C-alpha cells in the first residue's frame, strides 16, 4: 500500500506539474496577445509617474488597444549616453524619444524602418506630416522614426535668449533689442551686482553653443548662413572661437555657475537669463517649465534642417517584438486628445487644472512635469494658460512672418553614414565628452583646450571622418534635382 501511495503521489505531482506548466503557457500566450510596450523618455523621473502610467493603462484598456505601456524616464542630461548603452547592450524595448542629438538615431539597424508601418498603422499621423519634415527625417529615402508635428504652423524652431520677466521690468531692460550673448553683457553685469541671489546666465552641462551651422557629426558641420556645403570643424571657425571666448569671459566674471559643466538642468533655478530653442509663443511654455514668468528674443534665424526635422521624434527599436502595436500607440499620442494630455501633463486635479475646455494651468505642487518635446506632436495638446491663440488671424500673421525668416539648410535630407569609420567616430565622441562641456560654459581656457581637443580629433582620425562626410555630401548632391 505504501508503494502504491508513493506511486499515486508521484502521478499526482506530475499531473499538478503539467497543470501548472500548462497554466504558465496559457499566461505567457495571454501576455503575448496583450504585451507591455517599454517606452523611454528624456526627463527627470517624476514622483507621479506611476499614477500617470497606471491611468494610461486604464485608458488603453478602455479603448481596447490590445497592449499596455511602461513609461521609463532617464534624466535628459544622461539620456543620449544611457539610451546608447541600452541599444548597444541588446536590451529589448519598444519606443524611445529620439532626435538628432539623442539615441543614435542615424545608425542604421538601431531602429526599425517605419516607412510602410507609418501609413498603415498610423494613417492620421502620416497625413499630418509635411513634405519638408519627411525629407529632413528620411535616411536614403526611408524613415526610421516618426517626426513631430506642431499644431501652430511654424516651420521650425529658432535659438532664443530667455529672460526673467520680473527683472526685465524692474530694471527696464530693452530685451527685444538684445540679439546676441554679447548684447546681453551690460545687463548680466548689472544683475550680478544688484541681484546676487540670481544666476546671471544659467548654463549647465546640457548647454550648446549657438552658432549658424548644421551639425552633421560633431564637430563637423556646414555653415547654413552662407548656404555652404563645405564640411568644417566648428571648433576651428572664427565665430565659434569668439563665442567660446565670450563665454569664458562671462564665466570668469561670475555670470555662469561655477559647476555649470557638471550640473544637470534645474528648471526651478533662480536666474536672469538662459538660452533655449523655441518659437513665437514659447514664452508660456518656458514660463510653466521654469515656474517663473519669462520673455525672450531670437539670437539666430530659424533653420529648416535635418536637425530641426529630427528635433523631436519617436522611434521603434529594431529589437521590438511589437512594432505594429508601437506604431498604433504613437498614432494615439499624435491624435488622441485624452492620451496625449495624460502623458504630457499628468492627471487633472493633481498635476493641472482646466481654465477652459482646451486651456490648462500647471498646479504648483504637481507631481508630474515632463518636457513636451518627448511626445513629438502637440496638435491635440492642451494650451497652457496665457498662451497665444494660434487660431486667430493675428497669430497666423505672426507665424507667417516668422516662417519667412526661416533659412533652409543646404543639406536638407542628407544623412551621414558613419558605419565605414565607426572606430574613428567613437574616438571623436570620446574626445568631445572630455572637452566640450567645459568649453561650452566657459570654465576652461579656450585656446589651450581647443589646441588639445583639435589635436586629439586628428589623432582619432578626424581628418578621415571629415573627408568621408564631404565625399558623401558631394555624392548626395548629384542625386538632388
Amino acid at each position: 500500500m505504501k508503494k502504491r501511495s508513493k506511486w499515486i503521489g508521484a502521478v499526482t505531482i506530475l499531473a499538478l506539474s503539467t497543470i501548472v506548466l500548462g497554466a504558465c503557457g496559457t499566461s505567457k500566450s495571454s501576455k503575448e496577445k496583450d504585451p507591455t510596450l517599454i517606452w523611454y523618455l528624456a526627463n527627470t523621473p517624476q514622483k507621479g509617474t506611476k499614477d500617470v502610467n497606471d491611468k494610461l493603462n486604464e485608458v488603453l484598456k478602455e479603448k481596447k488597444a490590445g497592449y499596455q505601456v511602461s513609461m521609463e524616464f532617464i534624466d535628459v542630461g544622461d539620456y543620449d549616453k544611457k539610451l546608447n548603452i541600452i541599444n548597444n547592450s541588446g536590451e529589448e524595448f519598444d519606443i524611445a524619444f529620439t532626435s538628432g542629438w539623442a539615441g543614435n538615431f542615424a545608425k542604421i539597424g538601431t531602429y526599425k524602418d517605419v516607412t510602410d508601418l507609418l501609413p498603415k498603422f498610423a494613417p492620421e499621423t502620416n497625413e499630418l506630416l509635411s513634405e519638408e519634415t519627411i525629407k529632413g527625417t528620411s535616411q536614403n529615402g526611408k524613415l526610421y522614426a516618426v517626426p513631430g508635428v506642431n499644431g501652430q504652423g511654424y516651420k521650425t524652431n529658432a535659438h532664443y535668449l530667455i529672460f526673467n520677466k520680473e527683472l526685465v521690468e524692474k530694471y527696464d531692460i530693452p530685451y527685444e533689442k538684445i540679439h546676441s550673448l554679447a548684447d546681453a553683457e551690460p545687463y548680466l553685469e548689472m544683475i550680478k551686482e544688484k541681484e546676487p541671489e540670481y544666476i546671471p546666465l544659467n548654463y549647465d552641462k546640457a548647454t550648446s553653443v549657438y552658432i549658424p551651422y548644421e551639425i552633421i557629426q560633431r564637430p563637423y558641420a556646414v555653415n547654413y548662413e552662407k548656404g555652404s556645403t563645405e564640411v568644417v570643424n566648428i571648433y576651428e571657425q572664427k565665430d565659434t572661437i569668439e563665442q567660446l571666448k565670450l563665454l569664458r569671459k562671462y564665466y570668469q566674471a561670475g555670470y555662469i555657475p561655477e559647476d555649470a559643466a557638471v550640473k544637470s538642468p534645474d528648471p526651478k533655478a533662480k536666474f536672469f537669463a538662459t538660452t533655449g530653442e523655441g518659437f513665437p509663443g514659447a514664452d508660456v511654455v518656458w514660463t510653466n517649465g521654469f515656474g517663473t514668468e519669462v520673455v525672450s528674443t531670437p539670437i539666430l534665424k530659424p533653420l529648416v534642417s535635418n536637425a530641426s526635422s529630427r528635433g523631436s521624434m519617436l522611434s521603434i527599436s529594431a529589437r521590438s517584438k511589437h512594432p505594429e502595436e508601437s506604431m498604433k500607440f504613437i498614432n494615439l499620442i499624435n491624435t488622441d486628445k485624452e492620451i496625449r494630455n495624460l502623458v504630457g501633463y499628468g492627471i487633472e486635479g493633481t498635476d493641472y487644472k482646466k481654465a477652459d475646455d482646451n486651456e490648462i494651468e500647471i498646479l504648483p505642487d504637481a507631481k508630474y512635469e515632463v518636457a513636451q518635446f518627448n511626445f513629438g506632436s502637440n496638435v491635440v495638446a492642451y494650451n497652457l494658460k496665457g498662451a497665444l491663440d494660434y487660431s486667430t488671424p493675428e497669430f497666423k500673421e505672426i507665424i507667417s512672418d516668422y516662417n519667412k525668416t526661416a533659412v533652409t539648410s543646404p543639406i536638407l535630407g542628407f544623412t551621414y553614414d558613419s558605419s565605414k569609420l565607426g572606430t574613428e567616430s567613437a574616438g571623436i565622441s570620446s574626445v568631445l565628452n572630455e572637452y566640450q562641456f567645459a568649453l561650452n560654459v566657459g570654465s576652461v581656457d579656450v585656446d589651450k583646450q581647443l589646441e588639445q581637443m583639435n589635436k586629439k580629433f586628428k589623432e582619432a582620425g578626424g581628418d578621415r571622418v571629415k573627408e568621408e562626410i564631404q565625399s558623401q555630401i558631394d555624392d548626395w548632391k548629384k542625386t538632388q534635382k
Side-chain angles (χ1 to χ4, degrees), residues 383-396:
N383 291 328
L384 295 172
K385 187 177 179 181
L388 296 172
D389 185 348
Y390 301 112
S391 65
T392 65
E394 292 79 10
F395 192 79
K396 286 180 178 178

Side-chain angles (χ1 to χ4, degrees), residues 9-63:
V11 172
T12 302
I13 292 170
L14 180 61
L16 287 171
S17 298
T18 303
I19 292 170
V20 171
L21 288 171
C24 288
T26 302
S27 176
K28 184 176 181 183
S29 175
S30 175
K31 286 182 179 179
E32 286 175 351
K33 292 178 181 177
D34 195 13
T36 296
L37 309 179
I38 306 298
W39 176 22
Y40 283 109
L41 301 93
N43 203 90
T44 304
Q46 299 291 295
K47 291 181 180 179
T49 299
K50 185 179 184 304
D51 292 338
V52 172
N53 205 151
D54 289 346
K55 179 64 176 177
L56 171 62
N57 286 329
E58 286 178 19
V59 174
L60 289 171
K61 188 174 181 180
E62 290 171 4
K63 294 179 180 290

Side-chain angles (χ1 to χ4, degrees), residues 416-417 420-421 464-472:
Y416 169 55
D417 178 5
K420 294 180 182 179
L421 298 173
R464 290 194 296 277
V465 171
K466 180 182 172 183
E467 289 169 7
E468 178 62 26
I469 295 173
Q470 188 68 68
S471 175
Q472 290 187 26

Side-chain angles (χ1 to χ4, degrees), residues 29-30 90 150 238 249 327 338 479:
S29 175
S30 175
N150 80 71
K238 183 180 178 180
K249 179 183 178 182
M327 184 58 73
E338 182 179 15
T479 68

Side-chain angles (χ1 to χ4, degrees), residues 93-104:
F93 69 93
D94 298 284
I95 305 168
F97 160 76
T98 58
S99 75
W101 58 266
N104 211 3

